[in-house]
Amino acid sequence: SYVRFLAPGRGEIYLRTHGFSDYGSEGRYISGIFSDVTSFINDDFLWDNMIDGLNAAIFNTDLNRNVTTISKNIHAIFPDFPLMVAGDFIETLIPYVVQTDRQRLRNILNRSVQENGTRFAIEVRIRNEEGKSSWVAIRGKSFENKNTMTRMLTGSILDLSAMNEVKESFEKAGSSHQITGLPTGQRLSRDVEIVIRDANVSCAAVIMFDIKDFHEFTDRYGKDAGDKILRKLADLINESLPDRAKIYHIGTDNFAGLRPTMVLGATSL
């Protein structure tokens, strides 16, 4: 416990008491010391108020003592995550991560622990309480605190779900072709990235094609006639697409198809 004192020239300070009582030749006595913990109390106050304004949860690991403290807003990402871990923080975090991403996370965090001064940055998938997966970004570095001669691992965990929802709303507004209603090249780029990250996809094909001499047709019969051709072609292709394949309108008369091939036993993209 600690008590507050008013000190000349310093104002309010915090002192922590340590001591014991015992019996001696002259009777019972109490012995102890006062430790100035003002800086620690102020740091905790600043820490709590700083974290309140951040979306990212912050963790600090004392690698000498193998003790990790985590900011309270970690519970917005992992509701039951402990705020203090006495032991292996990495292995405490691992079970919250999707199985296929766990070894990547282990490797990058363990490397930072072993190599002082190493920065790390990784995105991994986690499972929420409803069983759905979402992405989190984990950033940080290892360093040595020269004041305390302590090796530290510090970093942040940011839930990307809210950011992705905002991003998708903007992309959706501008990612459909105004004539055919098909997704555009912007959406194709995003979907290709998703396919690359999906552990259930063994390979994928991207096919690009265009309408031969389309410009000559529109020059002769007009833009309205050309738009009808584009819409009709989009409908015909959509009706004949194989499972999990998508078609994109990426230019005036340019189209692209994306078809992922699933790993044996996987059922969805």
Side-chain angles (χ1 to χ4, degrees), residues 127-178:
R127 294 284 183 191
N128 60 24
E129 292 179 305
E130 300 172 354
K132 297 180 180 179
S133 64
S134 59
W135 288 89
V136 296
I138 303 177
R139 305 279 189 270
K141 66 176 182 178
S142 60
F143 66 97
E144 183 176 355
N145 187 329
K146 301 295 185 181
N147 295 325
T148 60
M149 300 300 292
T150 303
R151 292 187 62 243
M152 301 291 296
L153 180 75
T154 186
S156 63
I157 303 174
L158 175 64
D159 186 354
L160 298 177
S161 301
M163 295 176 63
N164 286 340
E165 289 172 4
V166 173
K167 179 182 176 183
E168 287 174 6
S169 67
F170 278 104
E171 288 181 345
K172 186 175 181 181
S175 62
S176 296
H177 198 279
Q178 60 181 355

Side-chain angles (χ1 to χ4, degrees), residues 126-233:
I126 63 171
R127 294 284 183 191
N128 60 24
E129 292 179 305
E130 300 172 354
K132 297 180 180 179
S133 64
S134 59
W135 288 89
V136 296
I138 303 177
R139 305 279 189 270
K141 66 176 182 178
S142 60
F143 66 97
E144 183 176 355
N145 187 329
K146 301 295 185 181
N147 295 325
T148 60
M149 300 300 292
T150 303
R151 292 187 62 243
M152 301 291 296
L153 180 75
T154 186
S156 63
I157 303 174
L158 175 64
D159 186 354
L160 298 177
S161 301
M163 295 176 63
N164 286 340
E165 289 172 4
V166 173
K167 179 182 176 183
E168 287 174 6
S169 67
F170 278 104
E171 288 181 345
K172 186 175 181 181
S175 62
S176 296
H177 198 279
Q178 60 181 355
I179 296 174
T180 61
L182 293 175
T184 63
Q186 182 182 15
R187 180 65 179 272
L188 172 62
S189 298
R190 192 187 69 132
D191 287 352
V192 166
E193 184 179 347
I194 292 173
V195 166
I196 291 172
R197 288 181 169 182
D198 196 327
N200 292 324
V201 175
S202 61
C203 62
V206 177
I207 303 170
M208 303 180 71
F209 59 94
D210 62 8
I211 303 174
K212 186 177 180 180
D213 300 327
F214 182 72
H215 288 291
E216 294 182 11
F217 179 87
T218 55
D219 289 344
R220 182 172 182 179
Y221 297 102
K223 183 178 182 302
D224 289 344
D227 290 350
K228 290 180 181 179
I229 293 293
L230 293 173
R231 283 191 286 268
K232 184 62 176 178
L233 178 62

